[in-house]
Amino acid sequence: MIYQFKITLEDQSPPVWRRVLIDAGSTFYDLHLLIQVAMGWTDTHLHVFRFALDHEEVLKELNAVRGLDDANKQLLMSSLKPYEFIGDPEANDGFDELNEDLNEHDEFLSDWFFEKGNSCLYTYDFGDDWQHHIVLEKILGPVQGQVYPYCLNAKGAFIAEDSRGQDIEPEWITDEKKAVKEINDKLGKVFEEEWEIWKNNSQGDFVSQATTEEWKKLFELVNTYKKAKPWEWLEDSHIIVIQDPVTNDYMYCSVLGCGGEEFGLAMYIGDAGLSALASTLFPDPSGQLDSFQRMIQIQRSLLVSFSDRDEIEKEDYDLIKEAGFSYRGKKQWPMFRSFAPGYYPWTIDQEEVRLLIRLLPEIMRTCQEIYDRPQLLMGIPTNHFFARVLKGHGGGKDTINSEAEAGINNVQWTNSLIPFNIPLAQVNPTPMFDVNEQAEMDELLLQRLKNELDKTKTVLEFNLFDAPTPIQESPQQRPYYPLISLWVDKQTGTIIHMDVLTRKSLNQLFYNSFVELLQNLGWKPHRIQVSDQAVYSLLLPLTKTLGIYLDQLHELPALEDAQDAILEEYFHSF
């Protein structure tokens, strides 16, 4: 989550304030640095954060105690701390009032600011006593591509250090845009490492959250869909295609519930969704993908399901309550899940919420039209789907490309048939890494390894496969499945090396891991054998340089046994 704070320097006329954004998981030391940069201070004096403690609940409990007179109540209340201080205990050691202050490096904003309107006081320079009133204005979702902390607005002036009571004119802000840019440029230097993390993670890992109003609209639409009960006349296998007026992609929709057990809607998104849909309708032609791998490597879809109360997570319940809805009974509670290759099923993000808001009305109209005219689904040619495409586009995907241009409320669709263009043999898992990404290789190091490593007749089998457990690097990030790098001796079946790699910059991580493996072994294999084409492409530049033969085979028995043993041991541990 992202906190939007307004920081106001008290007792200033005209007003002096800044509006800033910062990750809720940041420490108070991070907020201190942000204030210093945003206000133009130089961090040359002591500082402290002060929270007024609310003892209202304690007073209620004391009032409920029989036999406790007002004098004793007052005595007990006076013994309670009126404030909690957060700062640098070592630096503030000489101030009796701050002897027990909490360490700003260990306290997180999210543990003190819970809702809009929460506030505290930040004092800088105990001599000049600059008081800053900090108010939490909004709690937002992170925006893809945005870095934090970040300054939005700057009003008033930059006050000079040690100027209280002095005839020193402040540096008044006359060009706010320029001042904000200068502040953010300085923040970029102070928070260089944090900004780099945000930039690296702005490739889709962070979940951009929808607004309460957007969720409310989606719940209203889903309630209407549930009331209509389209599963009473449509089967799961009746695929309805709706063209999205914003992206022009096709959404392959399946109404769930004809079996009387699970109710809802599955929406398979675009070409990747079509592959996912094909993988659920037809068996894997190669026989190489199990159901777990299918879900991780292929699935790209959204699932709207109506569940029992005990089936939804706390986050689902909180969304329902925040949007102002309540439900009773079995299979009544809406739950939303996003499936994406390589990632753990997760709550849908803002763009996915908007996608459902855009298309659910048309999906419901189409379901009703099929109820009124069931012949629409009769006589559809093999390998074709019934579709609602944008009127005048003939099912094309090359015209409307923005929500503004689409004029969502005035979009018109028309009935059409679109071909199912993916032959079964082409239904392959989504590549686990960008095959076009190039690792930065130290050519001199590789040449030295080629000449110095002992040559052997060893044949190694190698593969990259999905770890069975997802990891989450921060609360804002969607959990993902890392990849296990596994090297096995073909003759003995011995595991030579195993490593866990993240998907980001995988090519570079693999290169580093491979070079380190060879350095630790002190020898190089005569031959490496793989089964996956993408893995083959990943290894080829390295093996060519190192003079190692590389083969792509259909079966790798030693490696498959080792991989099965690893996964079996994992699943048996639960």
Side-chain angles (χ1 to χ4, degrees), residues 308-362:
D308 295 343
R309 172 64 182 87
D310 59 358
E311 293 176 334
I312 66 173
E313 304 289 340
K314 180 182 182 300
E315 292 78 9
D316 302 310
Y317 182 80
D318 290 344
L319 282 174
I320 291 171
K321 290 303 179 184
E322 187 176 351
F325 294 91
S326 62
Y327 301 91
R328 288 180 177 273
K330 291 184 175 297
K331 305 301 179 185
Q332 296 297 313
W333 299 75
M335 184 165 63
F336 305 90
R337 289 295 180 268
S338 168
F339 296 84
Y343 291 91
Y344 186 75
W346 203 241
T347 303
I348 59 178
D349 64 20
Q350 186 175 48
E351 288 306 311
E352 293 167 333
V353 168
R354 292 174 178 176
L355 174 63
L356 288 172
I357 290 174
R358 285 198 300 270
L359 298 191
L360 266 173
E362 186 58 28

Side-chain angles (χ1 to χ4, degrees), residues 195-306:
W195 276 31
E196 192 62 32
I197 292 173
W198 275 100
K199 290 176 181 178
N200 289 339
N201 285 324
S202 64
Q203 308 301 315
D205 286 358
F206 281 85
V207 179
S208 178
Q209 298 192 357
T211 65
T212 301
E213 287 304 311
E214 287 171 328
W215 275 113
K216 184 176 180 180
K217 177 63 175 177
L218 179 56
F219 276 111
E220 289 172 347
L221 289 170
V222 167
N223 290 343
T224 303
Y225 174 84
K226 180 177 64 176
K227 187 177 180 180
K229 300 180 180 180
W231 47 80
E232 292 186 349
W233 65 90
L234 288 170
E235 299 179 4
D236 298 5
S237 59
H238 288 150
I239 306 302
I240 300 171
V241 182
I242 307 290
Q243 189 174 13
D244 178 22
V246 171
T247 66
N248 287 327
D249 288 334
Y250 294 136
M251 307 295 150
Y252 302 85
C253 304
S254 171
V255 174
L256 308 176
C258 68
E261 295 183 2
E262 300 297 331
F263 303 87
L265 175 73
M267 178 185 289
Y268 297 88
I269 300 175
D271 293 338
L274 182 55
S275 286
L277 175 61
S279 74
T280 62
L281 296 176
F282 307 102
D284 173 29
S286 68
Q288 294 180 344
L289 291 178
D290 59 24
S291 58
F292 173 75
Q293 290 174 310
R294 282 178 177 277
M295 181 189 74
I296 294 177
Q297 296 184 13
I298 296 178
Q299 190 74 284
R300 180 62 188 113
S301 64
L302 303 180
L303 177 64
V304 181
S305 60
F306 301 109

Side-chain angles (χ1 to χ4, degrees), residues 318-479:
D318 290 344
L319 282 174
I320 291 171
K321 290 303 179 184
E322 187 176 351
F325 294 91
S326 62
Y327 301 91
R328 288 180 177 273
K330 291 184 175 297
K331 305 301 179 185
Q332 296 297 313
W333 299 75
M335 184 165 63
F336 305 90
R337 289 295 180 268
S338 168
F339 296 84
Y343 291 91
Y344 186 75
W346 203 241
T347 303
I348 59 178
D349 64 20
Q350 186 175 48
E351 288 306 311
E352 293 167 333
V353 168
R354 292 174 178 176
L355 174 63
L356 288 172
I357 290 174
R358 285 198 300 270
L359 298 191
L360 266 173
E362 186 58 28
I363 291 171
M364 289 188 281
R365 281 192 291 268
T366 304
C367 290
Q368 183 60 46
E369 184 175 2
I370 293 172
Y371 176 80
D372 296 333
R373 300 167 58 199
Q375 64 270 24
L376 288 173
L377 295 185
M378 298 178 183
I380 294 179
T382 303
N383 292 339
H384 281 71
F385 292 129
F386 175 77
R388 294 283 288 167
V389 301
L390 300 176
K391 194 170 184 178
H393 287 229
K397 297 184 179 182
D398 56 358
T399 305
I400 299 180
N401 55 23
S402 75
E403 194 157 350
E405 292 172 345
I408 298 304
N409 295 328
N410 299 315
V411 166
Q412 292 184 329
W413 284 268
T414 186
N415 293 343
S416 183
L417 296 177
I418 63 170
F420 177 23
N421 286 323
I422 298 186
L424 297 187
Q426 295 179 4
V427 179
N428 296 317
T430 302
M432 61 185 73
F433 57 89
D434 184 358
V435 294
N436 296 316
E437 179 188 333
Q438 298 296 321
E440 294 184 9
M441 297 189 293
D442 187 336
E443 296 294 341
L444 293 177
L445 174 61
L446 292 177
Q447 286 295 330
R448 182 168 60 81
L449 291 175
K450 177 183 179 180
N451 297 329
E452 295 180 1
L453 290 175
D454 293 337
K455 298 179 181 179
T456 69
K457 295 183 178 180
T458 304
V459 178
L460 296 182
E461 295 180 351
F462 172 72
N463 193 24
L464 284 169
F465 62 95
D466 298 286
T469 304
I471 61 175
Q472 185 180 28
E473 295 180 351
S474 77
Q476 293 81 20
Q477 272 191 296
R478 179 173 183 162

Side-chain angles (χ1 to χ4, degrees), residues 17-37:
W17 59 268
R18 310 288 186 262
R19 179 169 285 117
V20 298
L21 301 173
I22 187 170
D23 187 348
S26 301
T27 65
F28 276 85
Y29 179 69
D30 295 324
L31 181 57
H32 157 68
L33 293 179
L34 169 58
I35 294 171
Q36 288 291 310
V37 173

